[in-house]
């Protein structure tokens, strides 16, 4: 069908009557979604700030959905599906990392003109981001009081605190595959933040030095490293965007701002998977 006068004709089969049918806006609840941006000021750039954070929250919702599924797949020894989920979450974080480039177009002068309307609200209070940290191993019970006034968010985080992490599920998977994961690792208190355990290094060294015999385990290790790298790059881009926008001001939520974000870069999810690289081939 040729295009004439710069207009693409509708094909005969295209549905145009939605009086009794579901349409795109109805399926996606666009009336609700697109009315959720409610600037407090009349500043031109406040919608950018709101949409940046709302879209990130949507992606974090998907990341949590996938990470819960990854954990369940590892528990069921379905490593192929677990790897698919890890790859998807990696790409989610790459996407929200790229989003910081849009926020970076907000200059310090522009942000200062409406920053005051935020009050004490802050990305520090994102319960979904904290839940991602918890399910990946960066647990911190002291975060829960921040969400005491939001029972649903508090319930989600409390559940994550009490539940095994993705890494716990992977270590149990390795044990069921016959790898000598130490008993104290398998029986650990899952409410505690993961810290490096050198007793796992021989386990990983054996996997990395026999990739043919341990392909599923080896490939999943690399998927976990890919995911951690993606999250760390998001954290770093967050830090740099905040620094270029507010410098070294205190955060709206009361944190030290850039200094607080810098310390997040020292948090790691799967430290042994980095440390073992020093040992491979040595």
């Amino acid at each position: 069908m040729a295009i004439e006068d710069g207009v693409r004709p509708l094909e005969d089969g295209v549905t145009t009557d939605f009086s009794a049918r579901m349409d795109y806006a109805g399926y996606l609840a666009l009336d609700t979604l697109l009315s959720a941006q409610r600037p407090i000021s009349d500043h031109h750039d406040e919608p950018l700030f709101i949409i940046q954070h709302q879209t990130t929250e949507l992606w974090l919702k998907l990341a949590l959905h996938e990470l819960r599924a990854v954990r369940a797949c590892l528990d069921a020894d379905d490593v192929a599906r677990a790897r698919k989920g890890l790859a998807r979450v990696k790409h989610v974080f790459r996407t929200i990392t790229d989003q910081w480039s849009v926020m970076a177009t907000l200059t310090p002068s522009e942000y200062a003109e409406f920053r005051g309307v935020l009050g004490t609200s802050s990305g520090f209070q994102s319960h979904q981001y904290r839940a991602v940290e918890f399910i990946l191993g960066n647990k911190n019970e002291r975060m829960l009081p921040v969400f005491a006034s939001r029972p649903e968010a508090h319930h989600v985080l409390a559940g994550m605190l009490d539940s095994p992490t993705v890494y716990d599920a992977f270590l149990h998977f390795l044990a069921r595959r016959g790898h000598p994961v130490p008993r104290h690792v398998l029986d650990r208190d899952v409410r505690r933040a993961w810290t490096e355990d050198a007793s796992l290094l021989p386990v990983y060294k054996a996997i990395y030095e026999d990739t043919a015999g341990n392909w599923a385990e080896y490939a999943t290790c690399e998927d976990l490293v890919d995911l951690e790298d993606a999250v760390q790059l998001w954290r770093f881009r967050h830090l740099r965007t905040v620094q270029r926008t507010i410098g070294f001001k205190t955060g709206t939520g009361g944190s030290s701002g850039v200094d607080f974000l810098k310390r997040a870069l020292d948090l790691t999810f799967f430290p042994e998977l980095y440390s073992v690289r020093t040992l491979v081939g040595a």
Side-chain angles (χ1 to χ4, degrees):
M1 190 178 294
I3 293 179
E4 299 178 1
D5 300 325
V7 176
R8 180 179 61 176
L10 292 182
E11 296 172 341
D12 293 339
V14 172
T15 302
T16 58
D17 180 5
F18 296 98
S19 56
R21 296 183 177 94
M22 180 186 295
D23 66 359
Y24 177 80
Y27 175 68
L28 294 178
L30 288 184
D31 289 345
T32 300
L33 182 65
L34 297 179
S35 63
Q37 296 74 49
R38 300 165 189 164
I40 298 175
S41 74
D42 60 0
H43 197 284
H44 173 81
D45 294 317
E46 193 180 353
L48 160 64
F49 190 84
I50 292 171
I51 290 169
Q52 166 82 24
H53 289 84
Q54 286 183 339
T55 53
T56 296
E57 289 295 331
L58 288 172
W59 284 118
L60 289 174
K61 182 176 183 177
L62 178 61
L64 278 172
H65 172 71
E66 295 294 338
L67 289 170
R68 288 186 178 105
V70 167
R71 184 175 60 188
C73 288
L74 289 171
D75 287 342
D77 294 330
D78 190 348
V79 70
R81 287 185 180 273
R83 292 190 61 206
K84 174 65 178 292
L86 289 170
R88 183 170 290 172
V89 178
K90 172 186 68 178
H91 286 293
V92 166
F93 270 89
R94 287 181 176 176
T95 296
I96 60 177
T97 297
D98 287 343
Q99 279 190 185
W100 286 119
S101 64
V102 183
M103 180 68 95
T105 66
L106 181 67
T107 68
S109 301
E110 292 163 344
Y111 183 43
E113 291 171 353
F114 69 87
R115 188 177 187 236
V117 305
L118 274 63
T120 55
S121 64
S122 166
F124 178 88
Q125 300 143 14
S126 169
H127 86 275
Q128 291 196 120
Y129 176 63
R130 298 305 168 196
V132 168
E133 287 191 320
F134 278 23
I135 199 171
L136 291 178
N138 290 166
K139 297 191 178 187
N140 185 351
E141 186 174 3
R142 289 174 293 180
M143 285 298 306
L144 266 64
V146 174
F147 304 97
S149 63
R150 294 192 173 272
E152 289 187 14
H154 189 278
H155 176 74
V156 169
L157 280 179
M160 285 292 184
L161 183 67
D162 291 335
S163 302
T165 68
V166 166
Y167 199 34
D168 289 315
F170 180 60
L171 291 168
H172 280 265
F173 163 76
L174 292 181
R176 291 192 299 274
R177 298 274 285 204
H179 298 281
V181 178
R183 189 76 248 168
H184 74 271
V185 171
L186 299 175
D187 293 340
R188 82 179 192 94
D189 179 1
V190 298
R191 291 172 59 90
R192 296 179 64 85
W194 180 267
T195 56
E196 185 165 5
D197 190 321
S199 68
L200 286 171
L201 293 180
V203 177
Y204 286 127
K205 186 174 187 291
I207 290 171
Y208 273 80
E209 291 185 342
D210 182 11
T211 58
N214 300 291
W215 182 259
E217 297 94 317
Y218 162 70
T220 309
C221 286
E222 289 298 286
D223 291 335
L224 291 170
V225 170
D226 283 347
L227 175 56
E228 173 153 346
D229 281 355
V231 176
Q232 292 287 38
L233 286 171
W234 181 88
R235 285 170 165 169
F236 179 74
R237 192 64 190 274
H238 182 196
L239 159 69
R240 297 298 297 183
T241 303
V242 169
Q243 184 171 315
R244 71 175 285 160
T245 307
I246 66 168
F248 297 93
K249 291 187 178 79
T250 299
T252 51
S255 76
S256 58
V258 166
D259 285 342
F260 180 79
L261 296 176
K262 281 181 179 177
R263 291 195 293 275
L265 295 173
D266 292 329
L267 296 174
T268 180
F269 303 125
F270 321 117
E272 299 82 6
L273 294 180
Y274 290 87
S275 294
V276 73
R277 284 155 162 72
T278 308
L279 305 177
V280 173

